[in-house]
Amino acid sequence: MKRRKFIQNASLTGIGVAVGTSIVAGNSKVEKEKELVSSIFKVNTPIVLATWNVPESTQKAWEILENGKSAIDAIEQGCMVEEANEKGQSVGKGGLPDRDGNVTLDACIMNEEGNYGAVVYMQNIVHPISVARKVMEDTPHVILAGKGAEQFAVSVGFDRENLLTEASKKAWEEWKIKSDYKPIINIENHDTIGMLAIDKNGDISGGCTTSGLAYKMAGRVGDSPIIGSGLFIDNEIGGATATGLGEEVLKTVGSFLIVELMRQGKSPQEACEEAIQRIVDKNSDFKNFQVGYIALNKKGEIGAYSIHEHFSYTLYKENENKNYKSEFYNKS
Ligand code: SD4
């Protein structure tokens, strides 16, 4: 952490510049700053926070962190649990298809160094979060799309698999009878998984993975794999991730907005509320769609807020893995 930033943070917590000055006099300035910051914040790590009711995913991520692994490993493994869960109809295998019956997946991952990788509109691969990590780590690019993403995945060892399950196919066939194309306000307990984690070093990473809106137009890509919209991490500040109608998250660059609001001193909760307010202010029809955000800052504080009721999040902290109802805007 840069000294200027440290002093800003220290004064925010009531520790004056005098403390900052004594650090500079020391020999190992960086180490002393780190020690002091963690003693000030007393962050009880690790922490895992995810959208919706996904206790198996947060459990997996927590186990990885408890074993001393990095937040990025926890994010990948935690998200993979949902991607492989065929009952979850908005992520990975078993995800609801587009209007032509094709399951197309979007995912991204971002680490504590600000590196990011994503796949968009990818078919036939169960774990887009892992392919996104490979894009981040093994290519000079940040986003691969469609056939190219699939080819890359196969080239690095992923198997092709049909992602349309019997249940999803049946749901699609029933949908085709009316072909009613409206964004659905999610009132289930399960959806796109966005996950944020702090590891034992205090580093933050995040990921987001989805099959996107059910029965979308072919080629449609949502917010989930787009940096700053579905996910954003700044290891000096914190992270945020989104679920809901991706078009509205994209137009307001929601996750980046939340992280920037936290940088200005807002709590994760205040930042999530302001990001939802931006969407509501710009849309007189906000009653017809849902957006939900979660956020986590460097101090281990969390926030969650949505337009409508029934958004929830799962928090694994201090040995407790629990699902909570989110606060929401529309009380009418
Ligand atoms: C999308 N944001 O593709 C995703 C879908 C989602 O709850 O999160 N649904 O727009």
Side-chain angles (χ1 to χ4, degrees):
M1 183 185 287
K2 295 199 176 65
R3 181 172 178 273
R4 182 180 52 82
K5 193 89 231 153
F6 169 74
I7 289 173
Q8 269 174 9
N9 284 350
S11 35
L12 274 177
T13 57
I15 312 289
V17 172
V19 179
T21 313
S22 72
I23 293 164
V24 181
N27 282 338
S28 170
K29 196 177 107 187
V30 174
E31 278 314 304
K32 284 189 177 172
E33 282 188 358
K34 270 191 176 172
E35 270 171 35
L36 194 60
V37 167
S38 57
S39 72
I40 292 164
F41 295 154
K42 285 201 186 64
V43 181
N44 210 342
T45 56
I47 299 170
V48 184
L49 177 66
T51 53
W52 303 106
N53 189 16
V54 288
E56 288 92 0
S57 292
T58 47
Q59 170 77 38
K60 181 74 191 174
W62 171 270
E63 283 167 15
I64 306 265
L65 295 172
E66 271 297 279
N67 284 332
K69 294 266 176 57
S70 63
I72 197 78
D73 288 332
I75 292 293
E76 181 187 0
Q77 300 273 331
C79 288
M80 282 172 73
V81 172
E82 268 314 298
E83 288 177 340
N85 174 9
E86 294 185 21
K87 288 195 189 127
Q89 287 198 310
S90 46
V91 180
K93 187 156 184 172
L96 291 170
D98 66 14
R99 56 180 61 182
D100 302 325
N102 297 311
V103 180
T104 71
L105 304 178
D106 295 339
C108 75
I109 198 160
M110 192 162 183
N111 72 9
E112 75 284 357
E113 290 170 347
N115 291 321
Y116 152 86
V119 288
V120 306
Y121 197 61
M122 185 177 72
Q123 297 181 45
N124 302 316
I125 307 286
V126 181
H127 290 300
I129 195 77
S130 302
V131 185
R133 184 168 179 182
K134 286 271 181 209
V135 171
M136 177 175 81
E137 292 178 349
D138 297 356
T139 80
H141 307 300
V142 293
I143 305 179
L144 291 180
K147 278 275 162 234
E150 187 179 333
Q151 274 165 20
F152 167 71
V154 170
S155 78
V156 292
F158 291 83
D159 292 329
R160 281 196 174 90
E161 201 172 319
N162 179 15
L163 303 178
L164 191 66
T165 56
E166 275 310 310
S168 296
K169 193 170 172 210
K170 192 160 168 261
W172 170 59
E173 276 161 356
E174 278 162 16
W175 171 81
K176 276 199 296 184
I177 297 166
K178 281 195 184 163
S179 300
D180 203 5
Y181 188 51
K182 271 195 240 150
I184 297 161
I185 298 177
N186 188 292
I187 51 161
E188 290 155 25
N189 242 344
H190 224 270
D191 216 305
T192 294
I193 176 164
M195 185 182 274
L196 307 167
I198 307 187
D199 60 28
K200 286 184 172 175
N201 284 332
D203 289 326
I204 304 184
S205 293
C208 192
T209 179
T210 188
S211 52
L213 288 186
Y215 321 126
K216 60 197 175 186
M217 290 173 69
R220 183 263 187 191
V221 173
D223 61 310
S224 305
I226 305 300
I227 188 168
S229 291
L231 175 75
F232 194 71
I233 303 292
D234 182 326
N235 197 35
E236 278 198 10
I237 306 298
T241 184
T243 181
L245 184 61
E247 280 70 8
E248 296 307 324
V249 177
L250 281 161
K251 285 191 279 181
T252 47
V253 201
S255 294
F256 183 71
L257 172 63
I258 290 170
V259 172
E260 288 307 300
L261 290 168
M262 293 196 292
R263 191 190 306 280
Q264 290 164 23
K266 292 220 184 316
S267 69
Q269 186 61 35
E270 289 167 339
C272 288
E273 289 179 19
E274 186 162 335
I276 289 292
Q277 189 67 50
R278 293 265 176 113
I279 294 175
V280 167
D281 289 346
K282 287 190 161 74
N283 288 282
S284 51
D285 68 333
F286 70 85
K287 291 198 169 158
N288 297 321
F289 61 85
Q290 172 72 306
V291 172
Y293 288 115
I294 55 171
L296 172 67
N297 72 10
K298 205 61 183 165
K299 295 186 236 173
E301 295 166 337
I302 67 136
Y305 203 63
S306 56
I307 301 177
H308 301 284
E309 200 179 357
H310 300 303
F311 174 46
S312 76
Y313 60 93
T314 307
L315 175 64
Y316 203 143
K317 191 181 178 183
E318 290 160 8
N319 286 314
E320 198 174 48
N321 189 17
K322 230 175 130 183
N323 181 248
Y324 299 86
K325 285 183 181 168
S326 167
E327 288 292 317
F328 58 97
Y329 175 84
N330 184 22
K331 299 280 173 15
S332 64

mmCIF file of all heavy atoms in Angstrom, residues 104-129:
data_model
loop_
_atom_site.group_PDB
_atom_site.id
_atom_site.type_symbol
_atom_site.label_atom_id
_atom_site.label_comp_id
_atom_site.label_asym_id
_atom_site.label_seq_id
_atom_site.Cartn_x
_atom_site.Cartn_y
_atom_site.Cartn_z
ATOM 1 N N THR A 104 -25.400 -20.937 -23.610
ATOM 2 C CA THR A 104 -24.178 -20.144 -23.846
ATOM 3 C C THR A 104 -23.761 -19.486 -22.530
ATOM 4 O O THR A 104 -24.591 -18.907 -21.830
ATOM 5 C CB THR A 104 -24.399 -19.074 -24.939
ATOM 6 O OG1 THR A 104 -25.242 -18.053 -24.437
ATOM 7 C CG2 THR A 104 -25.002 -19.679 -26.206
ATOM 8 N N LEU A 105 -22.500 -19.614 -22.217
ATOM 9 C CA LEU A 105 -22.030 -19.237 -20.885
ATOM 10 C C LEU A 105 -21.110 -18.019 -20.910
ATOM 11 O O LEU A 105 -20.318 -17.837 -21.837
ATOM 12 C CB LEU A 105 -21.286 -20.422 -20.254
ATOM 13 C CG LEU A 105 -22.078 -21.733 -20.174
ATOM 14 C CD1 LEU A 105 -21.224 -22.840 -19.572
ATOM 15 C CD2 LEU A 105 -23.363 -21.567 -19.382
ATOM 16 N N ASP A 106 -21.222 -17.216 -19.856
ATOM 17 C CA ASP A 106 -20.373 -16.035 -19.652
ATOM 18 C C ASP A 106 -19.711 -16.172 -18.279
ATOM 19 O O ASP A 106 -20.393 -16.519 -17.304
ATOM 20 C CB ASP A 106 -21.217 -14.750 -19.572
ATOM 21 C CG ASP A 106 -21.941 -14.396 -20.863
ATOM 22 O OD1 ASP A 106 -21.523 -14.873 -21.929
ATOM 23 O OD2 ASP A 106 -22.917 -13.620 -20.780
ATOM 24 N N ALA A 107 -18.438 -15.856 -18.182
ATOM 25 C CA ALA A 107 -17.785 -15.874 -16.857
ATOM 26 C C ALA A 107 -16.552 -14.990 -16.855
ATOM 27 O O ALA A 107 -15.929 -14.771 -17.902
ATOM 28 C CB ALA A 107 -17.374 -17.295 -16.474
ATOM 29 N N CYS A 108 -16.224 -14.481 -15.678
ATOM 30 C CA CYS A 108 -14.956 -13.762 -15.558
ATOM 31 C C CYS A 108 -14.373 -13.961 -14.174
ATOM 32 O O CYS A 108 -15.064 -14.373 -13.225
ATOM 33 C CB CYS A 108 -15.103 -12.281 -15.874
ATOM 34 S SG CYS A 108 -15.889 -11.319 -14.597
ATOM 35 N N ILE A 109 -13.101 -13.653 -14.065
ATOM 36 C CA ILE A 109 -12.381 -13.801 -12.800
ATOM 37 C C ILE A 109 -11.383 -12.646 -12.709
ATOM 38 O O ILE A 109 -10.885 -12.177 -13.747
ATOM 39 C CB ILE A 109 -11.700 -15.193 -12.760
ATOM 40 C CG1 ILE A 109 -11.299 -15.607 -11.356
ATOM 41 C CG2 ILE A 109 -10.523 -15.280 -13.726
ATOM 42 C CD1 ILE A 109 -11.095 -17.119 -11.208
ATOM 43 N N MET A 110 -11.133 -12.147 -11.501
ATOM 44 C CA MET A 110 -10.206 -11.026 -11.347
ATOM 45 C C MET A 110 -9.412 -11.229 -10.068
ATOM 46 O O MET A 110 -9.984 -11.576 -9.026
ATOM 47 C CB MET A 110 -11.004 -9.721 -11.289
ATOM 48 C CG MET A 110 -10.141 -8.490 -11.414
ATOM 49 S SD MET A 110 -11.135 -7.053 -11.861
ATOM 50 C CE MET A 110 -9.814 -5.848 -12.005
ATOM 51 N N ASN A 111 -8.091 -11.034 -10.144
ATOM 52 C CA ASN A 111 -7.269 -11.329 -8.965
ATOM 53 C C ASN A 111 -6.800 -10.067 -8.245
ATOM 54 O O ASN A 111 -7.128 -8.936 -8.641
ATOM 55 C CB ASN A 111 -6.108 -12.261 -9.332
ATOM 56 C CG ASN A 111 -5.025 -11.572 -10.146
ATOM 57 O OD1 ASN A 111 -5.031 -10.359 -10.311
ATOM 58 N ND2 ASN A 111 -4.092 -12.354 -10.644
ATOM 59 N N GLU A 112 -6.005 -10.293 -7.208
ATOM 60 C CA GLU A 112 -5.598 -9.188 -6.334
ATOM 61 C C GLU A 112 -4.629 -8.233 -7.016
ATOM 62 O O GLU A 112 -4.413 -7.127 -6.541
ATOM 63 C CB GLU A 112 -5.010 -9.733 -5.022
ATOM 64 C CG GLU A 112 -3.609 -10.311 -5.081
ATOM 65 C CD GLU A 112 -3.523 -11.711 -5.703
ATOM 66 O OE1 GLU A 112 -4.569 -12.288 -6.047
ATOM 67 O OE2 GLU A 112 -2.387 -12.205 -5.845
ATOM 68 N N GLU A 113 -4.051 -8.688 -8.132
ATOM 69 C CA GLU A 113 -3.128 -7.798 -8.849
ATOM 70 C C GLU A 113 -3.850 -6.961 -9.897
ATOM 71 O O GLU A 113 -3.215 -6.232 -10.663
ATOM 72 C CB GLU A 113 -2.036 -8.627 -9.529
ATOM 73 C CG GLU A 113 -1.084 -9.234 -8.523
ATOM 74 C CD GLU A 113 -0.151 -10.251 -9.161
ATOM 75 O OE1 GLU A 113 -0.392 -10.676 -10.304
ATOM 76 O OE2 GLU A 113 0.814 -10.614 -8.481
ATOM 77 N N GLY A 114 -5.159 -7.120 -9.973
ATOM 78 C CA GLY A 114 -5.925 -6.366 -10.971
ATOM 79 C C GLY A 114 -5.916 -7.048 -12.324
ATOM 80 O O GLY A 114 -6.313 -6.466 -13.328
ATOM 81 N N ASN A 115 -5.465 -8.311 -12.370
ATOM 82 C CA ASN A 115 -5.540 -9.059 -13.628
ATOM 83 C C ASN A 115 -6.929 -9.655 -13.779
ATOM 84 O O ASN A 115 -7.576 -9.995 -12.785
ATOM 85 C CB ASN A 115 -4.481 -10.160 -13.654
ATOM 86 C CG ASN A 115 -3.096 -9.561 -13.760
ATOM 87 O OD1 ASN A 115 -2.896 -8.580 -14.475
ATOM 88 N ND2 ASN A 115 -2.158 -10.125 -13.024
ATOM 89 N N TYR A 116 -7.338 -9.816 -15.038
ATOM 90 C CA TYR A 116 -8.709 -10.228 -15.309
ATOM 91 C C TYR A 116 -8.744 -11.115 -16.548
ATOM 92 O O TYR A 116 -7.958 -10.930 -17.483
ATOM 93 C CB TYR A 116 -9.523 -8.947 -15.502
ATOM 94 C CG TYR A 116 -10.736 -9.017 -16.381
ATOM 95 C CD1 TYR A 116 -11.959 -9.415 -15.859
ATOM 96 C CD2 TYR A 116 -10.677 -8.638 -17.719
ATOM 97 C CE1 TYR A 116 -13.085 -9.442 -16.667
ATOM 98 C CE2 TYR A 116 -11.792 -8.657 -18.524
ATOM 99 C CZ TYR A 116 -12.999 -9.069 -17.996
ATOM 100 O OH TYR A 116 -14.110 -9.101 -18.783
ATOM 101 N N GLY A 117 -9.635 -12.096 -16.529
ATOM 102 C CA GLY A 117 -9.828 -12.940 -17.706
ATOM 103 C C GLY A 117 -11.298 -13.275 -17.826
ATOM 104 O O GLY A 117 -11.999 -13.377 -16.813
ATOM 105 N N ALA A 118 -11.773 -13.446 -19.078
ATOM 106 C CA ALA A 118 -13.200 -13.730 -19.257
ATOM 107 C C ALA A 118 -13.443 -14.556 -20.510
ATOM 108 O O ALA A 118 -12.664 -14.503 -21.462
ATOM 109 C CB ALA A 118 -13.986 -12.419 -19.361
ATOM 110 N N VAL A 119 -14.546 -15.299 -20.465
ATOM 111 C CA VAL A 119 -15.071 -15.910 -21.685
ATOM 112 C C VAL A 119 -16.517 -15.459 -21.831
ATOM 113 O O VAL A 119 -17.241 -15.327 -20.841
ATOM 114 C CB VAL A 119 -14.997 -17.455 -21.657
ATOM 115 C CG1 VAL A 119 -13.555 -17.916 -21.789
ATOM 116 C CG2 VAL A 119 -15.635 -18.041 -20.410
ATOM 117 N N VAL A 120 -16.908 -15.186 -23.069
ATOM 118 C CA VAL A 120 -18.286 -14.759 -23.312
ATOM 119 C C VAL A 120 -18.883 -15.624 -24.406
ATOM 120 O O VAL A 120 -18.179 -16.042 -25.331
ATOM 121 C CB VAL A 120 -18.366 -13.261 -23.708
ATOM 122 C CG1 VAL A 120 -17.676 -12.383 -22.678
ATOM 123 C CG2 VAL A 120 -17.789 -12.988 -25.082
ATOM 124 N N TYR A 121 -20.171 -15.908 -24.266
ATOM 125 C CA TYR A 121 -20.899 -16.633 -25.286
ATOM 126 C C TYR A 121 -20.207 -17.957 -25.641
ATOM 127 O O TYR A 121 -20.085 -18.333 -26.789
ATOM 128 C CB TYR A 121 -21.064 -15.751 -26.541
ATOM 129 C CG TYR A 121 -22.124 -16.249 -27.472
ATOM 130 C CD1 TYR A 121 -23.439 -16.346 -27.062
ATOM 131 C CD2 TYR A 121 -21.811 -16.632 -28.774
ATOM 132 C CE1 TYR A 121 -24.409 -16.826 -27.914
ATOM 133 C CE2 TYR A 121 -22.778 -17.111 -29.637
ATOM 134 C CZ TYR A 121 -24.077 -17.207 -29.192
ATOM 135 O OH TYR A 121 -25.044 -17.682 -30.033
ATOM 136 N N MET A 122 -19.733 -18.650 -24.635
ATOM 137 C CA MET A 122 -19.025 -19.920 -24.865
ATOM 138 C C MET A 122 -19.993 -21.095 -24.679
ATOM 139 O O MET A 122 -20.805 -21.088 -23.760
ATOM 140 C CB MET A 122 -17.848 -20.051 -23.893
ATOM 141 C CG MET A 122 -16.998 -21.282 -24.162
ATOM 142 S SD MET A 122 -15.560 -21.382 -23.083
ATOM 143 C CE MET A 122 -16.324 -21.788 -21.531
ATOM 144 N N GLN A 123 -19.878 -22.082 -25.533
ATOM 145 C CA GLN A 123 -20.754 -23.255 -25.456
ATOM 146 C C GLN A 123 -19.957 -24.524 -25.160
ATOM 147 O O GLN A 123 -18.752 -24.594 -25.424
ATOM 148 C CB GLN A 123 -21.492 -23.435 -26.789
ATOM 149 C CG GLN A 123 -22.407 -22.263 -27.116
ATOM 150 C CD GLN A 123 -23.158 -22.460 -28.420
ATOM 151 O OE1 GLN A 123 -23.690 -23.533 -28.685
ATOM 152 N NE2 GLN A 123 -23.208 -21.418 -29.224
ATOM 153 N N ASN A 124 -20.668 -25.519 -24.643
ATOM 154 C CA ASN A 124 -20.157 -26.902 -24.547
ATOM 155 C C ASN A 124 -19.023 -27.139 -23.554
ATOM 156 O O ASN A 124 -18.381 -28.180 -23.604
ATOM 157 C CB ASN A 124 -19.696 -27.410 -25.933
ATOM 158 C CG ASN A 124 -20.824 -27.363 -26.941
ATOM 159 O OD1 ASN A 124 -21.948 -27.743 -26.623
ATOM 160 N ND2 ASN A 124 -20.549 -26.864 -28.129
ATOM 161 N N ILE A 125 -18.766 -26.201 -22.670
ATOM 162 C CA ILE A 125 -17.704 -26.396 -21.675
ATOM 163 C C ILE A 125 -18.320 -26.134 -20.298
ATOM 164 O O ILE A 125 -18.907 -25.065 -20.079
ATOM 165 C CB ILE A 125 -16.514 -25.417 -21.901
ATOM 166 C CG1 ILE A 125 -15.982 -25.493 -23.332
ATOM 167 C CG2 ILE A 125 -15.417 -25.634 -20.852
ATOM 168 C CD1 ILE A 125 -15.170 -26.719 -23.688
ATOM 169 N N VAL A 126 -18.181 -27.098 -19.388
ATOM 170 C CA VAL A 126 -18.896 -26.992 -18.098
ATOM 171 C C VAL A 126 -18.352 -25.884 -17.197
ATOM 172 O O VAL A 126 -19.103 -25.279 -16.441
ATOM 173 C CB VAL A 126 -18.830 -28.338 -17.333
ATOM 174 C CG1 VAL A 126 -19.579 -28.243 -16.008
ATOM 175 C CG2 VAL A 126 -19.411 -29.456 -18.157
ATOM 176 N N HIS A 127 -17.028 -25.613 -17.263
ATOM 177 C CA HIS A 127 -16.443 -24.690 -16.291
ATOM 178 C C HIS A 127 -15.868 -23.416 -16.923
ATOM 179 O O HIS A 127 -14.638 -23.240 -16.995
ATOM 180 C CB HIS A 127 -15.378 -25.413 -15.469
ATOM 181 C CG HIS A 127 -15.963 -26.433 -14.540
ATOM 182 N ND1 HIS A 127 -16.863 -26.093 -13.547
ATOM 183 C CD2 HIS A 127 -15.814 -27.771 -14.478
ATOM 184 C CE1 HIS A 127 -17.235 -27.191 -12.902
ATOM 185 N NE2 HIS A 127 -16.623 -28.218 -13.451
ATOM 186 N N PRO A 128 -16.742 -22.494 -17.305
ATOM 187 C CA PRO A 128 -16.241 -21.246 -17.884
ATOM 188 C C PRO A 128 -15.353 -20.441 -16.927
ATOM 189 O O PRO A 128 -14.460 -19.734 -17.377
ATOM 190 C CB PRO A 128 -17.520 -20.468 -18.236
ATOM 191 C CG PRO A 128 -18.612 -21.134 -17.487
ATOM 192 C CD PRO A 128 -18.218 -22.557 -17.323
ATOM 193 N N ILE A 129 -15.575 -20.593 -15.606
ATOM 194 C CA ILE A 129 -14.745 -19.817 -14.665
ATOM 195 C C ILE A 129 -13.280 -20.255 -14.781
ATOM 196 O O ILE A 129 -12.363 -19.424 -14.707
ATOM 197 C CB ILE A 129 -15.264 -19.950 -13.202
ATOM 198 C CG1 ILE A 129 -14.648 -18.887 -12.296
ATOM 199 C CG2 ILE A 129 -15.035 -21.340 -12.613
ATOM 200 C CD1 ILE A 129 -15.223 -17.531 -12.432
#
